[in-house]
Amino acid sequence: MVQNDEWWRDAVIYQVYPRSFADSDGDGMGDLPGITGRLPHLRELGVDAVWLSPFYPSPQHDAGYDVADYRGVDPRFGDLGDADKLIAEAHNLGLKIIVDLVPNHTSSEHAWFQAALAAGPGSPERERYIFRDGDEPPNSWQSVFGGSAWERTPDGQWYLHLFDVSQPDLNWDNPEVREEFLAVLRFWLDRGVDGFRVDVAHGLVKDKNLTDWTTASTILGGLDPAGPPPPMWDQEGVHEIYQSWRQVLDQYPGGRILVAEAWVAPASRLARYVRPDEMHQAFNFPYLEAQWTPAALRSVIDESLAANDAVGAPTTWVLSNHDVVRHASRLGFPVGTPRMPGIGAGDPQPDAALGLRRARAATLLMLALPGSAYLYQGEELGLPEHTTMPDEFREDPAWERSGHAERGRDGCRVPLPWEADAPSYGFGPADASWLPQPATWAEFALDRQQGVAGSTWELYRTALGLRREHGLGRGGVTWQDGAFAFRNGDVLVVTNFGADAVALPAGARVLLSSEPLDDDGRVPTDVTVWAAL
Ligand code: GLC
């Protein structure tokens, strides 16, 4: 009998981006009451848990990943009472709630950073961050968002910010920082949250000598899976932090979890974050980044399962989130297209129909894999990236900091369409939306898809039900000869990447298919089928 405390091993976890999920008061910005009001939708979809991107007080220079107070709710999103109501209502509906924790950096408006600026060089307040003296930046590190990772204060010291200038990195060698985050964990655990998604989990500890590193700035830091990690990522010291957090979580009932956002390679190194005394899960970004080819997918699936099995952790799967181009658009580019830092009107545009077709096939493949899957809000509607957003609306700091070389991530963060014919497509009561919604989005609205056979929403809902019924999250992968096909328990999963239709084995009974089969009952190109044998 599976313990309830182990719910996360096969959970489907849905990411809500609070700014863009649902707006209850018509100011064009999503909010917590908006989310609470729409939770029944997630229950109906059939997910197990909801991960909320940050809703804490924040100047919003990085859409809330710049936290000014870890124990509050930004007035844009509501108040602590609204958070309590959201958690209670989710639990009533049988949904778990995971909140986002941002421990690598605070906002520059956090009381600690303000105190550090006021107290000056050499003060204990500055010891909570990474300040250094010098006429030049202390080293060659680049910010993930572009430009130097060092900013000078008026008194001449420099502080480190691996992200925006408004996101100073904390000094995790300082015991006070460690104590503070243990207290923050308890604060939210006491309010009933079921876990934490840990932002930039591979970044907290820096190489002691702040050794130079000249590779181009990316969150991956120019990772060479064979070589040593870059001096700002994946340092050995991060692990004892997560061990101490795990001890706190284990004092609470019901299975509270930690999930690492760690851009770490190879899979065996990432698996070190999910050893039995550390975190529970880590996002599988190599899977998200795998090309749409049978060889790439088979090898990332095998490597991920092997690495996680070796430490007894579930493998996770993900195709979209708030930092990447939505997979319905990403997959509409030719195979081999490198990772895109956003798309604008002047850039090559994806083939929308091909992208959606492949996205549906990719999702059905993902949801058949054993372990835990992450969905990003709107993908259940087949939502594409906004690929023609006028640049004047862009808010992602990467756009400015990269000198407009990167369009940034706004295109995947556009408020959701709920009702085709309502103002802001039902995102809120007013015709207001903090990022513009494309004029073509009525067709993606939830009310155009519910109860409509073959719609993307019905595909997701049916897949989640079958996944549960057949225990796919607890199963395994047994590859079959021939086409790209595997068995998971009593379900055969076939994805056709080739040009010719693929026949199913005799006696196979189709349970679900990402697109209709051809007239001869064969699987067409770019289609995934689940069949019972
Ligand atoms: C993570 C978040 C991203 C944010 C960055 C800095 O990568 O997912 O949205 O910009 O951390 O906090």
Side-chain angles (χ1 to χ4, degrees):
M1 179 66 192
V2 170
Q3 293 291 312
N4 188 33
D5 285 8
E6 303 269 288
W7 62 269
W8 43 276
R9 287 192 172 271
D10 60 352
V12 175
I13 302 175
Y14 181 102
Q15 179 186 0
V16 164
Y17 195 67
R19 297 170 67 97
S20 302
F21 189 69
D23 171 19
S24 73
D25 57 13
D27 65 354
M29 176 67 66
D31 48 43
L32 299 189
I35 298 168
T36 307
R38 295 283 193 183
L39 284 175
H41 158 70
L42 300 183
R43 172 76 224 181
E44 195 190 340
L45 182 61
V47 302
D48 302 291
V50 176
W51 148 36
L52 298 162
S53 280
F55 50 72
Y56 312 108
S58 162
Q60 302 281 320
H61 292 308
D62 186 20
Y65 283 94
D66 45 330
V67 179
D69 172 6
Y70 292 85
R71 293 177 179 80
V73 172
D74 193 287
R76 292 174 184 85
F77 300 128
D79 58 24
L80 269 178
D82 293 322
D84 290 340
K85 278 187 213 143
L86 194 165
I87 295 166
E89 181 58 13
H91 288 166
N92 277 339
L93 292 166
L95 296 166
K96 307 279 187 190
I97 291 286
I98 293 172
V99 294
D100 218 307
L101 189 70
V102 188
N104 180 68
H105 43 264
T106 69
S107 160
S108 51
E109 291 187 13
H110 190 283
W112 273 9
F113 193 72
Q114 289 300 313
L117 290 181
S123 62
E125 286 83 355
R126 290 218 169 173
E127 275 305 303
R128 295 170 178 148
Y129 294 89
I130 304 176
F131 280 90
R132 291 291 183 275
D133 292 318
D135 295 331
E136 297 291 322
N139 67 21
S140 60
W141 294 5
Q142 297 289 296
S143 152
V144 170
F145 295 151
S148 169
W150 296 94
E151 181 72 10
R152 202 160 201 189
T153 56
D155 52 52
Q157 276 205 317
W158 302 82
Y159 68 87
L160 178 69
H161 61 91
L162 289 180
F163 292 88
D164 191 51
V165 61
S166 64
Q167 293 167 299
D169 280 55
L170 285 162
N171 170 18
W172 276 87
D173 288 333
N174 185 336
E176 214 187 329
V177 171
R178 295 190 181 224
E179 280 309 313
E180 170 65 3
F181 275 85
L182 292 173
V184 169
L185 289 173
R186 288 197 192 91
F187 178 86
W188 289 103
L189 290 165
D190 288 341
R191 297 196 102 86
V193 306
D194 302 287
F196 302 89
R197 176 265 189 191
V198 182
D199 190 66
V200 196
H202 59 316
L204 275 52
V205 173
K206 279 80 181 174
D207 161 63
K208 254 201 287 306
N209 305 318
L210 299 179
T211 314
D212 270 337
W213 184 261
T214 42
T215 311
S217 72
T218 136
I219 195 155
L220 293 166
L223 278 189
D224 167 9
M232 69 293 274
W233 304 131
D234 196 27
Q235 300 293 302
E236 192 55 33
V238 295
H239 295 289
E240 68 177 34
I241 298 172
Y242 303 131
Q243 287 159 1
S244 72
W245 292 10
R246 177 63 177 259
Q247 286 170 17
V248 171
L249 265 72
D250 282 349
Q251 290 162 9
Y252 287 79
R256 317 282 176 113
I257 71 163
L258 296 166
V259 51
E261 187 221 15
W263 295 82
V264 168
S268 55
R269 246 195 112 81
L270 181 60
R272 303 177 79 237
Y273 288 76
V274 291
R275 289 175 290 190
D277 61 347
E278 289 192 39
M279 301 215 196
H280 300 74
Q281 298 182 340
F283 290 111
N284 191 344
F285 296 125
Y287 185 74
L288 184 152
E289 299 203 310
Q291 293 288 338
W292 184 245
T293 71
L297 285 161
R298 184 166 170 163
S299 87
V300 71
I301 290 169
D302 284 343
E303 276 168 34
S304 310
L305 289 170
N308 287 294
D309 284 353
V311 293
T315 300
T316 68
W317 312 102
V318 62
L319 289 166
S320 282
N321 65 35
H322 67 293
D323 289 330
V324 300
V325 171
R326 284 180 176 277
H327 67 286
S329 296
R330 209 170 63 226
L331 294 171
F333 287 95
V335 169
T337 302
R339 178 191 171 108
M340 287 161 292
I343 301 170
D347 298 325
Q349 296 289 306
D351 176 335
L354 178 69
L356 181 56
R357 181 181 178 88
R358 287 185 171 166
R360 290 164 54 109
T363 295
L364 215 51
L365 164 55
M366 173 177 88
L367 291 176
L369 292 167
S372 178
Y374 279 82
L375 305 179
Y376 177 50
Q377 66 176 38
E379 65 169 88
E380 77 279 20
L381 304 174
L383 218 58
E385 185 87 356
H386 190 335
T387 59
T388 56
M389 185 185 295
D391 289 338
E392 73 252 30
F393 291 104
R394 298 194 182 280
E395 292 202 7
D396 184 351
W399 167 242
E400 287 301 333
R401 284 199 64 88
S402 70
H404 298 179
E406 295 186 6
R407 303 276 175 185
R409 302 161 292 176
D410 296 301
C412 67
R413 299 175 173 179
V414 175
L416 294 190
W418 296 88
E419 292 147 31
D421 300 319
S424 67
Y425 301 120
F427 166 59
D431 191 13
S433 151
W434 69 279
L435 284 174
Q437 298 165 300
T440 53
W441 272 21
E443 63 175 293
F444 295 103
L446 178 66
D447 68 351
R448 289 272 173 94
Q449 300 199 38
Q450 270 175 319
V452 176
S455 71
T456 303
W457 154 263
E458 292 296 345
L459 179 73
Y460 270 71
R461 199 178 60 78
T462 310
L464 292 176
L466 288 169
R467 178 186 151 89
R468 193 183 300 259
E469 192 183 316
H470 290 268
L472 299 181
R474 299 268 172 172
V477 167
T478 309
W479 295 104
Q480 309 292 296
D481 291 336
F484 182 97
F486 62 87
R487 278 189 73 144
N488 181 349
D490 60 358
V491 176
L492 173 72
V493 180
V494 180
T495 302
N496 184 3
F497 296 87
D500 302 323
V502 170
L504 291 169
R509 184 171 55 85
V510 173
L511 298 168
L512 187 61
S513 171
S514 63
E515 303 289 341
L517 301 192
D518 73 9
D519 291 344
D520 300 321
R522 293 175 310 175
V523 184
T525 302
D526 292 326
V527 170
T528 297
V529 170
W530 294 2
L533 289 174

